[in-house]
Amino acid sequence: MRIAVTGSIAMDHLMVFPGRFAEHLVAERLRTASLSFLVDRLTVRYGGSGANIAYGLGQFGLAPVLVGAAGSDFDAYQLWLKQHGVDVDSVLVAPGARTARFVRTTDADLGEMSAFHAGAAGAACTISLRSVVARVGGLDLVLVSSNDPATMLRHTEECRGDGIPFAAAPSRQLARMSRSDVQFLVSDAQVLFTDEYESTLLQERTGWSALGVLERVGARITTLGRDGVLVERAGRAPVVVPAVPDLVATGPSRAGDALKAGVLAGLAGGAGLQRAAQLGCALASLALEASGPQEYTVDRRRLYRRLLDTYGKQSAIDLAPALAGAVPQEQP
């Protein structure tokens, strides 16, 4: 199964402030606030939703095609993705521009201040999926993940026009888009990915009820944090797939990106949607235990054991084909 992932490519600059933001905010001065913090830790990670999801799929040997734009500083990142099984030949490198930057500072209360600079990402709207299809000889699925809204709409339109199945993961871009654009973006998606907040926002932006959304997509997967994942299809009873229990998060995981990669890897391996969601949760658990969104490795035996312990023997057996192309280890 050849999958293309369209979405952002970014460098994440993650800082930790040992104090509390609230102690530096003066209610009477919020309109003219000027804040400066001395942070005691800075970590730079490879990130961006599209790249994170492609990284996860690459771990399963699926050679996902990453479609997005990066800057002239992309060389080291490009090599990293290649080494982890991602086809980066459809990434547009914009000369003179920098790869997108995400800057986040968290405090002792887990409060967060963030900023995002799109950089080269805006050039992604010039990429045609038709050129990608011509290069790789066809696509079985396109995941349209968070990116510049114009880019997301163009790729969705091309999928519809050329009959390419697509999945949608619009994320927080929903807030920036008009009602008609959001309706266009998600209608007819084989799988729609949202978290709980995005699910509510999606209904508000489309004007559709929860059932109305479900009737317009093949399936809907809603992440529930520690409670796992809600899997819904029209005409069928919803199913909650529990998360892997007793995890200790060690860093900024972007576990939702890993979950999407695991779900798509499960579907590519021929699993049903519920089993694919179980694989997604298992992969997300590896990301949660890692120090960054592209710092985990899919060890075949370890992931098999996690599926076995959490979801039972039949789940591990059913998902074994999806694990076949993962990091070469002895079969369990």
Side-chain angles (χ1 to χ4, degrees):
M1 185 175 186
R2 201 67 195 272
I3 300 172
V5 179
T6 78
S8 61
I9 302 167
M11 298 295 299
D12 294 344
H13 293 247
L14 310 169
M15 293 175 281
V16 176
F17 172 55
R20 291 175 168 81
F21 295 146
E23 295 173 354
H24 296 261
L25 295 170
V26 179
E28 295 79 9
R29 301 289 184 182
L30 290 181
R31 292 182 61 187
T32 58
S34 178
L35 304 176
S36 178
F37 304 104
L38 179 62
V39 299
D40 63 0
R41 190 159 76 246
L42 166 65
T43 305
V44 181
R45 300 289 187 199
Y46 294 134
S49 296
N52 290 341
I53 297 165
Y55 173 89
L57 287 167
Q59 296 279 291
F60 290 93
L62 292 170
V65 182
L66 178 58
V67 181
S72 53
D73 54 350
F74 185 54
D75 288 352
Y77 195 173
Q78 181 181 49
L79 179 61
W80 167 265
L81 291 169
K82 281 184 177 180
Q83 290 171 339
H84 291 86
V86 179
D87 180 336
V88 295
D89 289 344
S90 289
V91 173
L92 172 66
V93 177
R98 286 186 176 274
T99 299
R101 290 291 192 277
F102 174 68
V103 181
R104 180 177 68 189
T105 304
T106 54
D107 71 353
D109 293 327
L110 298 182
E112 180 179 310
M113 291 189 179
S114 303
F116 184 79
H117 180 256
C125 66
T126 66
I127 303 171
S128 170
L129 285 179
R130 294 185 179 99
S131 66
V132 178
V133 170
R135 182 179 69 81
V136 303
L139 292 170
D140 299 299
L141 182 72
V142 173
L143 173 62
V144 181
S145 71
S146 181
N147 207 343
D148 173 72
T151 302
M152 298 168 71
L153 290 166
R154 175 179 183 176
H155 291 157
T156 302
E157 183 176 19
E158 287 183 306
C159 286
R160 280 209 185 87
D162 294 345
I164 304 171
F166 69 96
S171 190
R172 297 300 197 266
Q173 298 292 0
L174 290 169
R176 300 177 55 194
M177 304 174 76
S178 69
R179 172 163 294 186
S180 61
D181 283 347
V182 177
Q183 291 175 344
F184 182 81
L185 190 68
V186 303
S187 294
D188 304 320
Q190 287 204 338
V191 183
L192 170 63
F193 293 95
T194 60
D195 63 21
E196 287 184 283
Y197 170 78
E198 293 158 2
S199 178
T200 301
L201 181 60
L202 178 73
Q203 288 170 218
E204 176 187 308
R205 300 300 291 172
T206 59
W208 298 331
S209 65
L211 179 59
V213 174
L214 197 58
E215 289 174 340
R216 291 169 169 84
V217 300
R220 187 174 184 181
I221 292 184
T222 307
T223 57
L224 308 174
R226 294 180 181 179
D227 293 327
V229 168
L230 175 63
V231 179
E232 298 176 283
R233 284 171 287 185
R236 302 192 187 186
V239 176
V240 174
V241 174
V244 175
D246 304 323
L247 296 175
V248 178
T250 60
S253 65
R254 293 301 300 268
D257 291 336
L259 186 139
K260 295 177 185 73
V263 170
L264 295 181
L267 295 175
L273 193 62
Q274 184 175 346
R275 290 287 189 238
Q278 291 171 348
L279 182 58
C281 287
L283 190 66
S285 74
L286 298 186
L288 279 166
E289 293 175 333
S291 59
Q294 295 183 31
E295 301 299 318
Y296 64 90
T297 299
V298 179
D299 180 301
R300 187 183 302 164
R301 280 195 285 190
R302 182 185 178 204
L303 193 53
Y304 184 94
R305 172 57 61 182
R306 188 151 293 188
L307 290 166
L308 185 67
D309 292 345
T310 307
Y311 305 111
K313 183 176 180 180
Q314 193 58 53
S315 172
I317 291 172
D318 291 347
L319 287 166
L323 305 183
V327 176
Q329 300 283 351
E330 282 185 35
Q331 286 280 11

